[in-house]
Amino acid sequence: MSDIKFSTAGFRAVTADGLTALNVQRLAYGISEHILEHPFYGFEGEGYKKHCQNLGKKIKKPLVIVGFDTRFLSKQLAYVAANAFVQNGISVKMAELPLPTPVAEWCVLNECAVGGLVVTGSEGEYYDNGVKWISYYGGIASNEIMADIEARIPAPSAQILKASSTEFGELSSAVVVSKEFRKAYLARMEKLINTRALKAAKLKVAVDPLFGAAKNYFRTFLEKYGVTVEGIHEEDDVLFGGKTPNAGPVSLQELQKLVVSKKLHLGIACNPDCDKFGVVDCDGNWVSSNEIAPMILDHLVRNKKQKGRVCRSVITSNLVDQVAKAHGLMLRDTPVGFKYITELMISGQYVMGMEESGGIAISDHIPDKDGLLACLLVIDMLATEKKTFKQLKKEFYKHYKQLFDQKVSIPKTETEINRIMERLDIKPPLSLNKISVWRIDSTDGFKFILKNGSWLAIRPSSTERIIRLYAESQDEKLPAVLIKEGKKIIESMI
């Protein structure tokens, strides 16, 4: 059994510890074998062949897109992977610039590649890095694919690893094609965004790529269509300014100040590999994706006449339910982890998929989360409606009931986590804050839904040794009360 394990979005570890040149090389060899031998997802596989037929393309040799983010050693480690693919007879198109994960996914679809590999730590700490494998359908690999790759990864001492994994300063083969993928992706954005309305709106927007790959995308696209752009953190900094580079309120404090000081319409941000997003309104307030996602869904249906089903992770806001019901859209819950949403989006039946942590996918694009597109769709709303974000939000809540949410993470040992979940299964709470528990959803952990529609969810993280608590209610003060009760329940079970 391999010592390299995938989590919800790929393999991640501390740079120079679990994430080494040798381990990236080993991983690329395992992926190569998967490409060459898997009966469905591989180059000769039934699934990939049907995919190519549907696109009307004949691919003579397996092709993989390889990219990297702005982290320390990401580019060099991407070269290690590219060299390994070539050594296994697989063609490679290598990104010239830092490549956002959703752009890599779009390019996999656009080039009809058998897959894509991006070296990225996403929104992890500066000392973390990792590898994401994208399958031919343009989304992060499923559990089935990850398990197959893990089983094929050679041991560190395997004779098959002939090339030196320490010589990663440059590509070792002239057959690796370097390519600038940005143009094709931005051309795609022009078809999804109302560029005519954008040009007429004369918006002023602040952008914060958080020292990541979005720096080569937001400004290029927006300025082309007359948007005045004020940017921060567009330079290189492998330490991410000393902050955790996620698009949450703590990391976006400087963006909030910029929006207010410059009197801008909006602030937008993406984490370093651009799979998640953050939005700041004209008053400098960070806006939760639990509000943004339902507003985008409403925009897609009303203004872009999109139709289909809706899917969301089980702990995403019930505000989505209100919008879906108002437009007659069928809604489906999934476990936490966007790969479950991706599996549904691939069917082509879903207009939108979303998760509370800032991930959004829409139909007729990639089946995975795209933070770049999410930010542009918020700007698209302002331009199309010819209103400020504050006005849009006020109008939105004339039709839907506002909900308030809160979440916390509590570190626990693996033994404690297992004990808590077992005891919740055996003896769940029957009431919270003296309100009866109406239903328990066990799609992912336990979601205790109360008679008044409020809910508390308790679930273990799939990537860290922590218990996560989520709460939502129409009562602004109730989520904090439910979280407090959830903490008491957890402590009583240890």
Side-chain angles (χ1 to χ4, degrees):
M1 185 177 291
S2 172
D3 56 315
I4 298 176
K5 299 293 181 183
F6 286 98
S7 63
T8 53
F11 171 62
R12 191 182 297 180
V14 174
T15 302
D17 185 7
L19 201 287
T20 63
L22 175 61
N23 280 347
V24 170
Q25 185 191 35
R26 292 170 58 208
L27 184 52
Y29 268 80
I31 293 172
S32 296
E33 190 173 302
H34 167 80
I35 289 170
L36 297 173
E37 296 184 8
H38 197 277
F40 190 87
Y41 297 103
F43 180 67
E44 296 292 343
E46 178 185 348
Y48 178 63
K49 281 188 173 181
K50 186 175 180 180
H51 172 72
C52 293
Q53 290 173 359
N54 291 339
L55 294 177
K57 294 188 178 183
K58 294 182 179 180
I59 309 298
K60 297 181 180 179
K61 187 177 180 181
L63 168 67
V64 169
I65 307 298
V66 176
F68 51 90
D69 68 6
T70 57
R71 288 172 181 267
F72 178 62
L73 292 183
S74 283
K75 185 175 183 178
Q76 292 88 339
L77 293 172
Y79 285 173
V80 170
N83 291 339
F85 287 134
V86 170
Q87 289 155 14
N88 283 280
I90 296 168
S91 298
V92 171
K93 286 189 178 181
M94 183 82 204
E96 292 179 354
L97 299 171
L99 188 66
T101 296
V103 178
E105 291 172 327
W106 166 248
C107 291
V108 165
L109 287 176
N110 197 43
E111 303 266 349
C112 200
V114 71
L117 181 146
V118 182
V119 177
T120 175
S122 192
E123 58 186 13
E125 300 290 349
Y126 72 90
Y127 46 77
D128 289 330
N129 212 333
V131 174
K132 289 185 176 181
W133 173 246
I134 300 159
S135 194
Y136 68 79
Y137 49 75
I140 296 298
S142 65
N143 289 341
E144 179 186 359
I145 295 171
M146 290 179 179
D148 183 71
I149 292 172
E150 285 178 1
R152 298 175 186 273
I153 296 172
S157 58
Q159 292 296 314
I160 192 173
L161 303 175
K162 297 178 182 179
S164 170
S165 61
T166 59
E167 297 174 359
F168 55 87
E170 59 184 56
L171 295 172
S172 64
S173 176
V175 299
V176 176
V177 177
S178 293
K179 187 164 182 177
E180 202 279 283
F181 293 110
R182 179 175 54 177
K183 185 177 179 180
Y185 177 83
L186 293 182
R188 178 60 183 161
M189 292 300 99
E190 290 175 344
K191 295 180 180 180
L192 298 174
I193 302 301
N194 187 345
T195 55
R196 181 178 295 180
L198 189 59
K199 207 164 190 175
K202 305 297 181 184
L203 294 171
K204 298 178 181 179
V205 176
V207 302
D208 186 354
L210 292 168
F211 306 103
K215 65 182 181 180
N216 296 312
Y217 289 80
F218 278 145
R219 184 180 289 275
T220 301
F221 183 86
L222 294 172
E223 289 185 338
K224 179 178 179 180
Y225 292 102
V227 177
T228 299
V229 176
E230 297 282 350
I232 54 172
H233 305 147
E234 294 178 292
E235 69 275 19
D236 292 332
D237 182 358
V238 295
L239 299 180
F240 300 112
K243 294 183 179 180
T244 303
N246 62 41
V250 176
S251 297
L252 299 185
Q253 290 176 357
E254 291 178 64
L255 180 66
Q256 292 172 298
K257 292 177 182 177
L258 177 62
V259 170
V260 173
S261 65
K262 296 284 186 177
K263 297 181 179 179
L264 306 177
H265 293 99
L266 199 71
I268 57 173
C270 278
N271 63 342
D273 82 319
C274 305
D275 66 345
K276 295 181 180 180
F277 69 95
V279 172
V280 172
D281 69 18
C282 60
D283 292 326
N285 300 309
W286 180 80
V287 188
S288 168
S289 58
N290 269 332
E291 282 191 298
I292 294 294
M295 290 179 71
I296 289 177
L297 174 60
D298 188 65
H299 172 59
L300 291 175
V301 178
R302 285 191 305 104
N303 296 321
K304 296 185 180 293
K305 309 305 178 185
Q306 296 278 358
K307 296 180 180 180
R309 301 178 179 182
V310 179
C311 55
R312 56 87 184 269
S313 66
V314 68
I315 46 85
T316 300
S317 174
N318 283 5
L319 191 53
V320 176
D321 305 49
Q322 294 184 46
V323 178
K325 184 177 180 180
H327 294 294
L329 308 177
M330 185 180 293
L331 177 72
R332 181 167 173 179
D333 286 345
T334 73
V336 176
F338 213 88
K339 58 189 175 183
Y340 300 107
I341 293 172
T342 294
E343 289 174 1
L344 296 177
M345 294 298 296
I346 290 170
S347 70
Q349 298 178 17
Y350 290 79
V351 63
M352 188 171 168
M354 63 203 81
E355 65 176 4
E356 61 83 30
S357 60
I360 287 178
I362 72 167
S363 59
D364 297 324
H365 187 48
I366 60 173
D368 210 342
K369 52 193 171 186
D370 188 339
L372 294 167
L373 175 58
C375 288
L376 293 178
L377 282 171
V378 176
I379 296 173
D380 186 63
M381 279 196 291
L382 270 65
T384 302
E385 298 272 7
K386 299 178 182 178
K387 296 175 182 176
T388 66
F389 186 84
K390 186 185 293 186
Q391 290 170 330
L392 284 176
K393 188 173 175 179
K394 185 177 181 180
E395 188 70 25
F396 181 79
Y397 284 120
K398 286 181 180 179
H399 302 281
Y400 306 106
K401 295 177 182 178
Q402 186 167 8
L403 300 176
F404 302 92
D405 60 81
Q406 187 174 328
K407 69 176 180 178
V408 298
S409 298
I410 305 174
K412 294 292 178 185
T413 65
E414 187 174 352
T415 300
E416 289 173 334
I417 291 171
N418 291 335
R419 184 181 299 146
I420 290 166
M421 302 314 291
E422 286 173 5
R423 292 187 177 181
L424 280 173
D425 188 33
I426 296 169
K427 193 176 180 180
L430 301 179
S431 67
L432 294 167
N433 194 40
K434 299 180 181 179
I435 305 171
S436 297
V437 173
W438 173 64
R439 184 167 65 89
I440 300 175
D441 187 330
S442 56
T443 301
D444 191 329
F446 298 93
K447 182 178 179 180
F448 304 103
I449 303 166
L450 308 184
K451 278 194 171 182
N452 64 359
S454 305
W455 54 266
L456 170 72
I458 302 174
R459 58 172 293 273
S461 168
S462 59
T463 57
E464 304 170 83
R465 290 178 179 173
I466 57 177
I467 289 280
R468 299 193 193 277
L469 282 74
Y470 312 78
E472 182 177 73
S473 176
Q474 288 185 41
D475 182 341
E476 188 173 1
K477 296 180 180 179
L478 188 55
V481 175
L482 294 176
I483 291 289
K484 187 176 181 179
E485 286 214 22
K487 289 179 179 179
K488 289 180 181 178
I489 291 170
I490 287 173
E491 294 306 320
S492 70
M493 294 183 170
I494 297 175

